[in-house]
Amino acid sequence: METGHISVLACEVLTFLAPKLGGVYVDATFGAGGHSRAILDAVGKNGKLLALDRDPDAIIRGEKLVKLYPGQLTIKHASFQNLGDTLIEWGEKRIDGILFDLGISSFQIDQPERGFSFRFDGPLDMRMDHSLNSKSKTAADLVNTMSDRELSDIFFKYGEESQARKIARAIVFDRDEKPFRTTGQLAQLAQRVIPNHKRGIHPATKIFQALRIAVNGELDQLQNGIDAAINALSQEGRLVVISFHSLEDRIVKQTFKKVTSHPQVTGPAALLPQTKLPPLPYSLITKKPVIPSIEEMQQNPRSRSAKLRVLARVTI
Ligand SMILES: C[S@@+](CC[C@H](N)C(=O)[O-])C[C@H]1O[C@@H](n2cnc3c(N)ncnc32)[C@H](O)[C@@H]1O
């Protein structure tokens, strides 16, 4: 069941990335290619874009776009956590703008067989890279083998689920009788264990988010990816990141803060007169995150939790 994907904060991405004619850009999360297409149109025939996605299905879907932008667009099946190596292979060291639009696309959520959604029954998979050589374990592997302590930690840390222990204990109890194979089984367990959940939000929401993050190692990948992106920016280059939950946004916010502030001087050195501080190589373009307009949230409810932050390179 494919319903297509609407690119989030599309105008804002273009405004902040400010693609220039003939520039060199990276879309670290190609997805359905909406943002990539907008960047390609803005950079013109002499510009180029490298687009990455961890999901092999996104790469196959993107082949049509490669034909529409011959010589301009390269699409690669790779995780953005290896961005440094990927750029060496591509032959470009300095990049004028890099975009990360995190999370999963509507194509992924709306396909029951990918196992990302509690709204449809499908195999409990959740791997973004489900290719044959993928080394990731599935969500079912985690749910059926981890101890209740490990599961509870995942639900609490990655889902901020207050009933983490109760859910983990119920999983371990139930799986003896019947291992978890489907999203439906897990969604039903959440409904049973936390029946008085907040109205309007499915009780499985947080544990599905937590398992997805654990299966795909999303937070470590994000940290490695944005560190590599920050290094690769050209002078005046821009890094734009759209996150969809507080754990992602915290990593982006703290990493941007770290590279745009002078390290604090502590101990006896703090008592000495401060010499003039050297200029910082990066500057923060968005002091506060940019969020979608009410109209965008109404038209595309999946944009509701989006937060966009931007960093620029000042000197190399
Ligand atoms: C929200 S979608 C991007 C949508 C895209 N910006 C558009 O306009 O169509 C996020 C995409 O990032 C991919 N992704 C997530 N983590 C990744 C990673 N570590 N490396 C590369 N791609 C990743 C997902 O597979 C998904 O296709």
Side-chain angles (χ1 to χ4, degrees):
M1 190 197 311
E2 292 199 352
T3 54
H5 177 90
I6 306 171
S7 300
V8 169
L9 290 164
C11 292
E12 292 81 351
V13 164
L14 275 192
T15 305
F16 284 109
L17 210 52
K20 48 184 188 197
L21 282 174
V24 177
Y25 290 83
V26 170
D27 180 351
T29 50
F30 177 76
H35 288 124
S36 278
R37 204 175 176 141
I39 298 168
L40 284 160
D41 287 336
V43 295
K45 291 254 179 288
N46 296 323
K48 54 187 217 172
L49 176 76
L50 171 68
L52 311 179
D53 207 293
R54 226 178 148 182
D55 185 343
D57 295 0
I59 306 303
I60 294 169
R61 262 197 317 272
E63 278 161 12
K64 275 189 231 140
L65 208 60
V66 177
K67 293 200 179 95
L68 282 179
Y69 294 89
Q72 274 186 275
L73 171 63
T74 307
I75 301 193
K76 192 168 162 52
H77 178 219
S79 164
F80 54 60
Q81 83 156 340
N82 307 317
L83 184 64
D85 292 340
T86 309
L87 290 178
I88 294 172
E89 258 174 55
W90 191 44
E92 293 287 349
K93 263 199 345 229
R94 290 282 161 231
I95 311 298
D96 298 314
I98 304 176
L99 169 68
F100 289 70
D101 174 21
L102 300 169
I104 46 180
S105 70
S106 302
F107 285 110
Q108 293 163 317
I109 303 174
D110 293 340
Q111 281 181 345
E113 60 274 26
R114 300 300 302 271
F116 285 111
S117 177
F118 44 78
R119 287 186 291 126
F120 317 111
D121 198 18
L124 192 55
D125 189 326
M126 299 197 197
R127 289 168 306 159
M128 286 188 197
D129 182 358
H130 62 139
S131 59
L132 286 176
N133 50 7
S134 166
K135 294 190 186 79
S136 306
K137 290 184 170 168
T138 65
D141 292 334
L142 301 193
V143 162
N144 290 319
T145 59
M146 286 182 145
S147 67
D148 64 352
R149 186 59 188 262
E150 287 168 322
L151 284 172
S152 162
D153 283 351
I154 285 180
F155 297 153
F156 189 69
K157 213 166 117 196
Y158 298 149
E160 298 174 321
E161 170 57 72
S162 59
Q163 310 279 343
R165 296 207 68 165
K166 206 169 157 193
I167 300 171
R169 265 193 243 122
I171 289 176
V172 170
F173 185 83
D174 280 21
R175 77 187 182 196
D176 270 351
E177 187 103 336
K178 188 175 175 207
F180 285 83
R181 299 273 172 246
T182 66
T183 50
Q185 263 177 289
L186 192 59
Q188 276 167 20
L189 176 134
Q191 264 164 333
R192 195 187 76 221
V193 176
I194 29 179
N196 301 322
H197 199 266
K198 260 197 237 158
R199 274 179 60 195
I201 299 175
H202 193 287
T205 306
K206 291 180 172 178
I207 60 170
F208 269 64
Q209 171 185 304
L211 282 170
R212 198 196 85 200
I213 292 174
V215 164
N216 297 291
E218 288 180 35
L219 302 183
D220 288 342
Q221 296 241 340
L222 173 59
Q223 186 68 66
N224 295 336
I226 52 173
D227 285 346
I230 289 171
N231 268 326
L233 287 180
S234 63
Q235 185 147 356
E236 292 178 20
R238 295 263 173 117
L239 171 58
V240 175
V241 185
I242 306 174
S243 63
F244 288 87
H245 55 76
S246 57
L247 300 171
E248 287 173 343
D249 185 53
R250 198 172 304 148
I251 292 176
V252 181
K253 184 176 161 185
Q254 288 176 352
T255 308
F256 283 12
K257 188 170 173 209
K258 200 165 111 198
V259 296
T260 54
S261 25
H262 287 287
Q264 270 203 329
V265 185
T266 52
L271 302 172
L272 298 171
Q274 296 297 303
T275 49
K276 200 164 168 265
L277 294 168
L280 286 158
Y282 298 95
S283 83
L284 201 57
I285 302 294
T286 46
K287 307 284 176 235
K288 287 210 166 127
V290 175
I291 59 170
S293 64
I294 292 171
E295 292 76 38
E296 176 167 2
M297 291 190 203
Q298 278 164 351
Q299 277 163 18
N300 181 13
R302 279 179 185 156
S303 72
R304 270 182 310 213
S305 52
K307 284 190 175 155
L308 178 150
R309 294 185 188 268
V310 187
L311 180 83
R313 185 153 204 163
V314 183
T315 54
I316 297 246

